[in-house]
Amino acid sequence: MLNQPINERVVEIPYALAHIPQSGTILDVGSCDAPYLACIQLPGRQLHCLDPRPMTPPSGVQYFQQTIQGFATPERFGTYDGVLMLSSLDHIGLDAYGQPACDGGVEAALAAAWHLLKSRGSLVVTVPVGIPKVAGWYRQFAPYELLRLLKAFEIVDAVFYEYWQGEYWQGEYWPGEYCLTSAPEVKHCDYRDGEGAGAVGCIHAIKI
């Protein structure tokens, strides 16, 4: 229906698919129920799925039932051309999606991604941004805090989208949409409970 609200996937998925390496081995973190996996597994590009929850991966895809912190063992260091964390970093370290709560989970996950990547490998992260908070099963990042957490990487692209509510105008309904904006403009945004992020940050970073 035209007046059905959309969520942040409409910008996250195109961003992620445009910024992950076009060849090599990609690790997707938080793969259970992800609708984009078949778009990653292509000739010349191999997908590995990682999630603490059980799942059935697409044909030809390797799946590991594990957290990224537990998965990043020395024998796997430097394995991946790309690591994708599409709306998964905001749940890590919280009591959600089959993982126990733990302190420092975000920092540990990003450190694990750094170790798993090859030199100059790509990390693509998308998360809700706005007023910093933890709300049970998800975390919302202040935009500049998100960039600070990635200080071990070289940030090559960082974009922010804000959701603009749909409205009726001259008898027609104009659906809401995510519009490109800047980090200062989204710092006061908040999650639209039950509907999606009020703003989303999309980051492409390189291991240095």
Side-chain angles (χ1 to χ4, degrees), residues 43-198:
R45 191 164 66 185
Q46 176 68 43
L47 172 63
H48 290 180
C49 290
L50 184 64
D51 202 298
R53 299 167 291 173
M55 64 170 285
T56 301
S59 177
V61 172
Q62 291 193 53
Y63 156 61
F64 302 90
Q65 189 173 353
Q66 180 62 278
T67 65
I68 189 172
Q69 302 97 306
F71 183 72
T73 52
E75 64 269 21
R76 294 189 174 110
F77 287 0
T79 299
Y80 291 96
D81 298 278
V83 172
L84 173 58
M85 306 177 83
L86 194 155
S87 274
S88 58
L89 187 65
D90 46 308
H91 304 295
I92 292 176
L94 303 179
D95 184 11
Y97 295 112
Q99 59 183 354
C102 64
D103 292 333
V106 169
E107 291 84 355
L110 290 173
W114 191 93
H115 284 298
L116 289 166
L117 283 167
K118 297 177 180 178
S119 177
R120 306 299 294 176
S122 290
L123 172 68
V124 178
V125 176
T126 70
V127 292
V129 292
I131 301 167
K133 68 175 185 178
V134 175
W137 59 277
Y138 75 92
R139 180 183 288 102
Q140 185 167 270
F141 296 86
Y144 290 111
E145 176 67 7
L146 174 61
L147 298 178
R148 186 195 66 80
L149 286 166
L150 292 164
K151 62 184 179 181
F153 296 84
E154 174 189 341
I155 296 175
V156 296
D157 188 64
V159 298
F160 298 90
Y161 296 89
E162 182 179 357
Y163 180 77
W164 289 90
Q165 186 69 42
E167 62 179 353
Y168 283 94
W169 186 70
Q170 294 186 349
E172 291 188 46
Y173 181 78
W174 296 81
E177 62 179 333
Y178 282 90
C179 298
L180 189 63
T181 184
S182 64
E185 293 297 322
V186 301
K187 65 182 180 180
H188 300 300
C189 292
D190 204 357
Y191 205 86
R192 302 178 295 125
D193 286 336
E195 296 184 355

